[in-house]
């Protein structure tokens, strides 16, 4: 049984509006945040300080994704565009103009040059990451496709929708395979476990579903938070995962049996977020957890055994 030590390492302040997305950079200690501001911000976790505005934007940022095997950051915006920016040069190398409604999720493959983008328009687009040409586009839902997960073996793509459905697609040819156990309200987070054993799905119904990673049948379902589960992220090395919620708390769970190990919240005595937690990520620098919130702050947490 793990006895976790959790301490707040620092807070990153400077955003003037809610922060919706956080993503790691290509180097440890490098983190990017974006939200309802006029720019994507780069931070240094070693100095706990603002470094620069990586890229100015005119519309709210809903998604940030570091494209696999690259120094390129994909930025999804409320206007439906995806800006692809080289972190080293701060130059926009591509602008993906396809969706007419906000872009909510972006993922890429490690083993093939493809980027997956989902939108409020209910469709998904697939882009080549060498030339940034559109390869495929297809309709997944009548409403928003809010979140994406790619299986560790890169055989499957899973989409979570505003309708509460979870859709399974073949990642090789992008064909629809099955509708998985759904939520009663919109699906807001998806995550495969590092060993591929489980697919976790979280929703606005405050439920977390644990599906078998092989046949996608329901293994377990429980209520991890009081409100929407906005993020689910596994630790890079320890057998734990974290969830972030609109209830203003972060919870850390055992990966093997889904026991609650720690709750990080103001009510539990932490100097924590005061409004909805919208996204989290584990950064390689000291394996720190970074959370972002409607309270305009990013917070950094030391989590260890």
């Amino acid at each position: 049984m793990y006895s976790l030590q959790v301490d707040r390492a620092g807070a990153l302040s400077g955003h003037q509006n809610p922060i919706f997305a956080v993503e790691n950079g290509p180097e440890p200690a490098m983190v990017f945040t974006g939200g309802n501001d006029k720019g994507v911000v780069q931070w240094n976790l070693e100095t706990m300080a603002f470094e620069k505005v990586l890229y100015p934007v005119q519309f709210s940022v809903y998604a940030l994704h570091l494209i696999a095997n690259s120094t390129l950051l994909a930025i999804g915006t409320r206007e439906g565009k995806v800006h692809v920016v080289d972190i080293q040069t701060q130059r926009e190398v591509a602008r993906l103009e396809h969706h007419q409604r906000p872009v909510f999720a972006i993922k890429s493959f490690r083993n093939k040059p493809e980027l997956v983008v989902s939108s409020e328009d209910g469709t998904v687009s697939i882009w080549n990451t060498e030339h940034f040409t559109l390869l495929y586009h297809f309709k997944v839902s009548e409403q928003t496709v809010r979140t994406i997960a790619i299986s560790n073996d890169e055989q499957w793509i899973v989409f979570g929708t505003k309708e509460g459905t979870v859709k399974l697609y073949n990642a090789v040819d992008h064909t629809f395979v099955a509708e998985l156990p759904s939520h009663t309200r919109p699906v807001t987070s998806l995550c495969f476990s590092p060993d591929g054993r489980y697919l976790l799905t979280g929703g606005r119904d405050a439920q977390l579903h644990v599906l078998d990673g092989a046949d996608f049948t329901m293994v377990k379902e429980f209520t991890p938070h009081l409100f929407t589960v906005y993020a689910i992220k596994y630790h890079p090395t320890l057998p734990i995962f974290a969830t972030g919620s609109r209830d203003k708390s972060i919870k850390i769970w055992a990966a093997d049996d889904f026991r609650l190990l720690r709750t990080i919240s103001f009510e539990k005595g932490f100097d924590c977020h005061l409004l909805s937690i919208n996204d989290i990520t584990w950064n390689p620098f000291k394996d720190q957890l970074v959370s972002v919130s409607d309270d305009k702050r990013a917070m950094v947490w030391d989590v260890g055994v």
Side-chain angles (χ1 to χ4, degrees):
M1 179 178 292
Y2 278 94
S3 176
L4 290 179
Q5 178 67 34
V6 178
D7 296 291
R8 199 182 85 157
L12 309 176
S13 299
H15 279 280
Q16 301 302 308
N17 289 290
I19 310 171
F20 301 135
V22 58
E23 175 66 308
N24 294 317
E27 301 172 10
M30 183 184 291
V31 163
F32 298 94
T33 56
N36 195 25
D37 273 342
K38 296 299 183 183
V40 174
V41 176
Q42 179 175 329
W43 308 89
N44 187 319
L45 297 189
E46 191 165 14
T47 60
M48 288 293 170
F50 166 87
E51 289 221 320
K52 59 188 173 186
V53 174
L54 176 75
Y55 187 74
V57 291
Q58 292 183 315
F59 297 88
S60 297
V61 172
Y62 290 155
L64 294 173
H65 176 70
L66 179 67
I67 298 176
N69 312 311
S70 80
T71 59
L72 302 179
L73 186 69
I75 303 167
T77 68
R78 182 170 56 84
E79 68 169 339
K81 292 182 174 59
V82 177
H83 304 269
V84 181
V85 177
D86 189 311
I87 292 166
Q88 296 178 333
T89 65
Q90 292 186 249
R91 185 174 64 88
E92 182 182 80
V93 299
R95 183 176 299 183
L96 312 184
E97 299 180 300
H98 172 74
H99 296 283
Q100 302 302 307
R101 304 293 294 274
V103 167
F104 278 105
I106 307 171
K107 295 291 181 185
S108 60
F109 290 87
R110 299 183 311 275
N111 298 317
K112 62 176 178 177
E114 288 184 9
L115 190 72
V116 186
V117 177
S118 74
S119 170
E120 187 182 275
D121 61 18
T123 71
V124 166
S125 57
I126 313 290
W127 301 80
N128 174 281
T129 56
E130 294 175 338
H131 308 292
F132 292 102
T133 51
L134 181 64
L135 300 174
Y136 315 97
H137 61 96
F138 48 92
K139 192 173 188 64
V140 171
S141 171
E142 293 301 319
Q143 300 187 59
T144 304
V145 181
R146 177 68 172 74
T147 181
I148 305 168
I150 298 174
S151 64
N152 301 319
D153 60 8
E154 301 195 337
Q155 295 302 302
W156 308 109
I157 312 178
V158 183
F159 301 105
T161 77
K162 188 176 180 179
E163 298 164 317
T165 57
V166 180
K167 304 285 188 73
L168 177 69
Y169 280 71
N170 186 309
V172 177
D173 59 10
H174 310 295
T175 54
F176 174 74
V177 176
E179 185 168 315
L180 305 183
S182 300
H183 289 258
T184 58
R185 299 192 67 191
V187 179
T188 48
S189 51
L190 296 169
C191 186
F192 280 93
S193 61
D195 58 7
R197 186 178 177 186
Y198 299 115
L199 167 66
L200 306 187
T201 76
R204 197 167 290 170
D205 56 7
Q207 294 294 297
L208 195 150
H209 293 174
V210 181
L211 307 184
D212 186 286
D215 61 13
F216 299 103
T217 55
M218 183 80 78
V219 174
K220 180 183 179 68
E221 58 180 311
F222 61 99
T223 306
H225 290 275
L226 296 175
F227 304 115
T228 307
V229 183
Y230 276 132
I232 309 168
K233 299 290 173 66
Y234 277 84
H235 191 282
T237 55
L238 297 175
I240 59 175
F241 67 92
T243 55
S245 170
R246 190 169 73 86
D247 69 8
K248 301 174 279 189
S249 74
I250 300 164
K251 294 188 178 182
I252 301 177
W253 310 82
D256 55 353
D257 59 7
F258 305 98
R259 284 174 296 113
L260 177 61
L261 300 176
R262 290 298 297 270
T263 299
I264 305 171
S265 68
F266 183 80
E267 288 76 14
K268 292 294 183 180
F270 287 93
D271 184 3
C272 192
H273 295 289
L274 301 177
L275 295 172
S276 173
I277 294 169
N278 298 322
D279 198 9
I280 57 176
T281 190
W282 293 99
N283 185 272
F285 182 71
K286 297 183 179 178
D287 288 340
Q288 290 172 319
L289 182 68
V290 185
S291 55
V292 296
S293 168
D294 276 355
D295 68 10
K296 310 173 189 177
R297 294 181 296 171
M299 291 191 180
V300 186
W301 306 93
D302 287 326
V303 180
V305 180

